[in-house]
Amino acid sequence: MTVPSAQESYSFVCLRCGHAWEGTYEIRHSRDAQGRARTDYYVRCVKVPSPLTANTCRVCRGRTIRILRSGLVSSGRSCTD
């Protein structure tokens, strides 16, 4: 059984190099053949790993990522502002 999909957006910050980015994902909830709940993430109709558990910085390839609510990257300020 498949439930209607939802769309979620997140902001990400790499704690290694400071790079920040945002991503929007289509989230589909379903059940596998054994009846266990599963969640799949898609970007432009392509299945991708969960951005919440398997994210990597595009700049330095770091794997220590802070996840924030969407909209924080574009509204962020530097320490000198």
Side-chain angles (χ1 to χ4, degrees):
M1 179 175 104
T2 302
V3 187
S5 64
Q7 192 170 11
E8 292 281 338
S9 296
Y10 304 98
S11 293
F12 304 96
V13 177
C14 176
L15 298 180
R16 182 175 176 198
C17 73
H19 176 66
W21 69 98
E22 293 201 11
T24 299
Y25 302 85
E26 178 184 353
I27 302 170
R28 299 179 191 171
H29 298 281
S30 61
R31 298 220 173 254
D32 65 14
Q34 289 74 36
R36 294 178 296 223
R38 63 178 288 138
T39 303
D40 295 311
Y41 293 82
Y42 293 82
V43 174
R44 291 188 283 279
C45 299
V46 175
K47 187 175 176 183
V48 297
S50 168
L52 306 178
T53 60
N55 212 332
T56 303
C57 178
R58 299 172 192 132
V59 173
C60 73
R61 309 308 293 166
R63 297 188 52 91
T64 307
I65 308 297
R66 168 87 29 101
I67 304 167
L68 309 164
R69 63 183 161 82
S70 66
L72 294 179
V73 171
S74 60
S75 66
R77 294 179 161 212
S78 70
C79 295
T80 59
D81 285 352

